[in-house]
Amino acid sequence: MSLRNLVKHLVDKPLDLESRNLLVDREKEIQILNRFAEFQSYGVYGVAGETGVGKTTVLNFVEAKDACVKKINITLRESVDSILYDLIYNLARALEVEGEIAKEARQIREWITEEVASVRGFVLGVSMVASASVNFQKSQLPRFNFFAAREKLAELIEKTVQLKRKLILLIDELDKEKKEDVLRTLDAIKSQILFENLVVILALPYSIYREYSADRMRWNEAGNLENIFKDIVFLEPLSKSDIKELLIRRIHEHLELVSQEVLEIASDFADGNPRDAIWILNKTVFENVGEKRISKEHIVRTIEKLVGEYFAHQLTLTENQRKALRALTDFTGSKEDLVFELQKSGIKRTTAYSIIEQLVQKKILLLRNGVYRLSGKFKHVDMDSLFQIR
Ligand SMILES: Nc1ncnc2c1ncn2[C@@H]1O[C@H](COP(=O)(O)OP(=O)(O)O)[C@@H](O)[C@H]1O
Ligand SMILES: [Mg+2]
């Protein structure tokens, strides 16, 4: 068996019911989502977390008895109208495979396509005319038929609910957008997606979760996210042992090709993020595909190369910052512990605070739930050769 075969087991792709044997942890989160789907009669819910942590994956595991579950994407558009159109188009398309509602869904999709084509066609025409500096009246522009679109959406949902009892709508990919854009999108559709027997679950970026919890707790002055979301499930990064298990499940047939230390180092590198774990092991195998077996030197070399490339602009450190790094290789603890640790290596207290801040900003030091530690990306690299002194 050669390393070539290993690469195909290390692909980054969301898991689903068919590949559930590769899933580690997340039973609790999936159960909560399934309960929203099954027991709540309407409302908007969310699943949030950093990119690569597994949002699409958990959405793929949402099941509900006696309900129709559909996953769609909506892409960000400039205007409220076009977001609504996008939503209707994608939902209609997803429903076209449902026997009893297929025909109506197809008609609605065709209607939307036509609307968009005619408005867009006109707008294009106008811009050509306008560039020839001919005056035109704004009032002559054909408008998106917003109210008709809303009615079509309602029709589609009501019909589905009638036939299937309930519709669970999973909206993925909004997590790729910036917070402000997500908020704008949500604002645009929130009143269009409140229907009895429609449960909507959205994938959201981490920043929205932070905002949401602050609103719930009344820490934000003008918070209103708790008006939009009934609840949000937050996906914490996985534990190091879960990350290791995830890798082992993928390559278990070829474990002899990878040393234990390699799995250990890849798991540190990931810092709890499944995508990063798969990525680093894939890269390492790929770059050493001619070797018989992957050992510590190989993965460390790959990490050093990647860190050198991706962090290049952050790698210039002051003497004190570097001193701090050396002291922190195996550190985990509170800010107070951290300051104490730095003081032990001869750094003044006030300086220690600012060093901590700088290293967090450079993402070299991680802060999670009040606990500081060195990012796993740096744990196994030779810092003296990697970092340049300023
Ligand atoms: N709990 C898990 N167990 C095993 N692999 C996982 C798990 N969660 C995510 N992954 C893997 O990590 C990668 C990123 O997951 P994905 O669901 O696409 O993340 P997100 O949607 O949050 O960006 C995928 O390759 C997926 O297979
Ligand atoms: Mg995703």
Side-chain angles (χ1 to χ4, degrees), residues 14 51-57 59 71 172-176 203 275:
T51 169
V53 81
K55 295 176 294 292
T56 301
T57 294
L59 282 183
K71 182 150 130 236
D172 201 2
E173 303 292 330
L174 276 182
D175 57 323
K176 304 278 190 306
R275 174 167 296 147

Side-chain angles (χ1 to χ4, degrees), residues 358-377:
Q358 294 149 7
L359 293 179
V360 168
Q361 206 153 49
K362 283 174 181 281
K363 301 212 177 348
I364 294 174
L365 203 57
L366 293 185
L367 169 62
R368 263 183 200 156
N369 304 326
V371 175
Y372 288 82
R373 67 192 163 76
L374 190 67
S375 156
K377 312 275 179 290

